Amino acid sequence: MTPLQQRWFAQLQQHQAIAIIRTADWQQGVKMAAIAIAGGLHLIEITWNSDQAGRIIETLREKFPSALIGAGTILTPADLKEAIASGASFAFSPHSDRDLVKVAHLRDVPMVLGALTPSEIYQAWRWGSDGVKVFPIKAVGGTAFIHCLRPALAEIPLIPTGGVTLKNAPEFIQAGAIAVGLSSDLFPETMVQRAEWPQLTQRIRRHHPSQWR
């Protein structure tokens, strides 16, 4: 295990939840991230297909220096280079591309590739992926799939996303995931549309990873 991975895995084990924010309005994206941080979440992922994703990352790095701000939905090395230039401290991809790992590691940034089948997961890990994003987890049985993977792939840190909710997140950790990615369930659309920010903050606090143990 590399020093980069040691630091990254320690952060994942400590915080366990990654707030994934996808938005069509960069200012709203900043607000959503601020709510997640106020709710106690330390790892914030801004999807690169969000409105002005780089601007969101730059703004959050300035406003919340104690949080770890990263980029998600990274598809190409060009995307990754732009995200890192914007200040992304880590990156996630929905697919596996060895070149993404090479680009990230040259810049000392953790890169988590996406995979689904055991073969894909193992290949991503062999390529140097810093853990593997198991996506979309809801399509393959949720926690039961993680339970099945752990005995055979015990050495690979798994991060399920795409179907993880505040309610079932603890079950994924208990099944053996090192951390989970929380996206749509973290910010219900109706609550965001109504700008129910205090209620959203309290909702996140009630389901904070510190309550999962």
Side-chain angles (χ1 to χ4, degrees), residues 69-161:
I69 312 299
T73 318
I74 295 294
L75 300 180
T76 68
D79 290 341
L80 181 55
K81 290 174 183 176
E82 288 183 32
I84 294 173
S86 298
S89 298
F90 62 87
F92 277 74
S93 174
H95 70 298
S96 289
D97 182 339
R98 193 173 193 173
D99 288 340
L100 294 176
V101 174
K102 293 178 180 177
V103 169
H105 287 182
L106 281 173
R107 293 158 176 79
D108 201 34
V109 171
M111 180 72 232
V112 182
L113 301 180
L116 192 59
T117 69
S119 294
E120 292 171 350
I121 292 169
Y122 184 68
Q123 183 65 75
W125 180 245
R126 285 193 62 194
W127 282 346
S129 183
D130 302 304
V132 178
K133 171 180 175 175
V134 186
F135 170 83
I137 192 63
K138 66 181 177 181
V140 288
T143 55
F145 189 61
I146 300 297
H147 269 297
C148 292
L149 290 175
R150 291 317 306 163
L153 303 175
E155 78 280 13
I156 303 177
L158 302 177
I159 308 168
T161 66

Side-chain angles (χ1 to χ4, degrees), residues 4-196:
L4 172 65
Q5 289 179 329
Q6 289 176 339
R7 295 193 302 269
W8 172 236
F9 296 150
Q11 290 165 334
L12 290 175
Q13 288 174 325
Q14 178 183 355
H15 300 292
Q16 296 190 317
I18 302 157
I20 302 171
I21 295 170
R22 177 176 285 104
T23 179
D25 178 343
W26 79 271
Q27 291 178 310
Q28 186 180 78
V30 170
K31 182 65 176 180
M32 292 165 69
I35 292 300
I37 293 168
L41 300 184
H42 183 80
L43 303 176
I44 309 297
E45 174 192 322
I46 306 302
T47 65
W48 199 244
N49 55 1
S50 291
D51 175 48
Q52 300 186 59
R55 186 174 185 180
I56 298 175
I57 292 171
E58 290 173 354
T59 302
L60 294 176
R61 284 291 301 267
E62 182 178 345
K63 289 171 65 86
F64 303 101
S66 63
L68 204 62
I69 312 299
T73 318
I74 295 294
L75 300 180
T76 68
D79 290 341
L80 181 55
K81 290 174 183 176
E82 288 183 32
I84 294 173
S86 298
S89 298
F90 62 87
F92 277 74
S93 174
H95 70 298
S96 289
D97 182 339
R98 193 173 193 173
D99 288 340
L100 294 176
V101 174
K102 293 178 180 177
V103 169
H105 287 182
L106 281 173
R107 293 158 176 79
D108 201 34
V109 171
M111 180 72 232
V112 182
L113 301 180
L116 192 59
T117 69
S119 294
E120 292 171 350
I121 292 169
Y122 184 68
Q123 183 65 75
W125 180 245
R126 285 193 62 194
W127 282 346
S129 183
D130 302 304
V132 178
K133 171 180 175 175
V134 186
F135 170 83
I137 192 63
K138 66 181 177 181
V140 288
T143 55
F145 189 61
I146 300 297
H147 269 297
C148 292
L149 290 175
R150 291 317 306 163
L153 303 175
E155 78 280 13
I156 303 177
L158 302 177
I159 308 168
T161 66
V164 181
T165 67
L166 286 170
K167 180 175 282 190
N168 69 20
E171 299 172 13
F172 282 100
I173 299 299
Q174 292 160 14
I178 190 173
V180 297
L182 293 160
S183 53
S184 57
D185 183 68
L186 195 61
F187 293 100
E189 188 174 350
T190 55
M191 295 183 73
V192 173
Q193 289 176 345
R194 296 170 184 165
E196 297 177 353

